[in-house]
Amino acid sequence: MGNSRLTYRRRNPYNTRSNKVRVVKTPGGKLQYQQLKKRGSPPKCGDCGIKLPGIPALRPHEYATISRPKKTVQRAYGGSRCSNCVKDRVVRAFLIEEQKIVKKVLKESQQKKR
């Protein structure tokens, strides 16, 4: 097997979240550490917290490099809220407006009775 001890190639000597490595075999036959990048976390719905479909899970700086259509979906609140939450918001707004109209009609009918 030879020498199976490996050393980090960068200055951080500790096994931390930001210092993850993978063992690879070089073309010369030696084993060496290869630095891994952190996994990106997917954007989540601001209301219910599920991950948003259609938007890639990237690191924050990588979002700056991709184009706008890849960061959003073509819908109101696209890229911020999931479709179910948007549907709930639309229905809630509609019902609130309907309730206002009903109150107004009841108030007018009360005025006519007096």
Side-chain angles (χ1 to χ4, degrees):
M1 174 78 189
N3 187 8
S4 63
R5 294 186 186 181
L6 297 171
T7 57
Y8 287 113
R9 298 167 71 189
R10 295 185 183 169
R11 290 176 189 268
N12 184 0
Y14 303 106
N15 183 25
T16 60
R17 289 194 319 152
S18 62
N19 201 25
K20 293 299 178 194
V21 289
R22 177 169 55 201
V23 178
V24 294
K25 188 175 273 190
T26 63
K30 291 193 292 185
L31 296 177
Q32 201 172 41
Y33 275 150
Q34 184 180 62
Q35 296 294 136
L36 297 175
K37 291 184 176 179
K38 284 189 187 179
R39 298 277 312 265
S41 65
K44 295 175 181 66
C45 174
D47 289 345
C48 64
I50 68 164
K51 63 180 188 175
L52 295 174
I55 302 171
L58 303 174
R59 296 295 296 162
H61 183 71
E62 292 173 321
Y63 281 115
T65 62
I66 64 172
S67 62
R68 180 169 218 93
K70 293 182 182 137
K71 289 186 265 197
T72 62
V73 283
Q74 292 297 312
R75 181 175 59 241
Y77 296 98
S80 172
R81 304 287 189 266
C82 68
S83 59
N84 291 331
C85 291
V86 172
K87 197 184 301 179
D88 291 345
R89 281 174 179 237
V90 169
V91 169
R92 188 183 312 132
F94 174 75
L95 291 175
I96 289 170
E97 290 299 316
E98 284 288 311
Q99 191 66 33
K100 286 179 185 175
I101 292 169
V102 169
K103 281 184 181 177
K104 188 177 176 184
V105 169
L106 286 174
K107 191 174 183 182
E108 288 175 359
S109 65
Q110 291 288 337
Q111 292 290 336
K112 286 185 179 179
K113 284 184 180 179
R114 289 182 182 174

